[in-house]
Amino acid sequence: MADDTQTPSPEIAYDTFAAVDIRVGTIVEADIFPQARKPAYRLLIDFGETIGLKKSSAQITVHYAPQDLVGRQVMAVVNFPPRQIGPMRSEVLTLGAPDPAGAVVLIAPDHPVPNGARMF
């Protein structure tokens, strides 16, 4: 992995990229996660009938309020192993990119797509 966000990572084979399962989901619940070490929200994301509802911890408190997240579509990696974050088991990695100050901005489709749609 690159040392910073400006340096491109080394080239990889397409099959390596294809192994990462990135899907669209809709946030159905969002609340403050007080047990997280850094400010974060607990998210419940609907990835459609096949994948279902998944939990995620996301450090997105700078740009988003919990009530504004419900109904919003996001992108997430759904095939990483779950991670224990405090008392919560985070099942997916919600994707974002840093703004100039380093705060996370969510990655999302700019038009509605079906929950569970795979990124390619």
Side-chain angles (χ1 to χ4, degrees), residues 35-49:
Q35 299 92 342
R37 283 189 216 150
K38 295 181 181 178
Y41 295 137
R42 287 182 294 227
L43 306 177
L44 185 63
I45 306 170
D46 181 1
F47 290 97
E49 193 173 310

Side-chain angles (χ1 to χ4, degrees), residues 17-26 44-56 74-83 89-95 114-119:
F17 166 74
V20 180
D21 193 355
I22 301 172
R23 303 285 180 132
V24 175
T26 299
L44 185 63
I45 306 170
D46 181 1
F47 290 97
E49 193 173 310
T50 303
I51 298 170
L53 296 171
K54 298 291 181 179
K55 292 182 266 182
S56 182
V74 293
M75 305 290 294
V77 177
V78 299
N79 68 333
F80 284 160
R83 290 187 65 183
R89 190 171 162 106
S90 186
E91 301 171 301
V92 299
L93 175 64
T94 305
L95 299 176
N115 287 336
R118 186 170 181 163
M119 188 186 86

Side-chain angles (χ1 to χ4, degrees), residues 104-117:
V104 178
V105 176
L106 290 169
I107 303 295
D110 63 356
H111 294 284
V113 298
N115 287 336

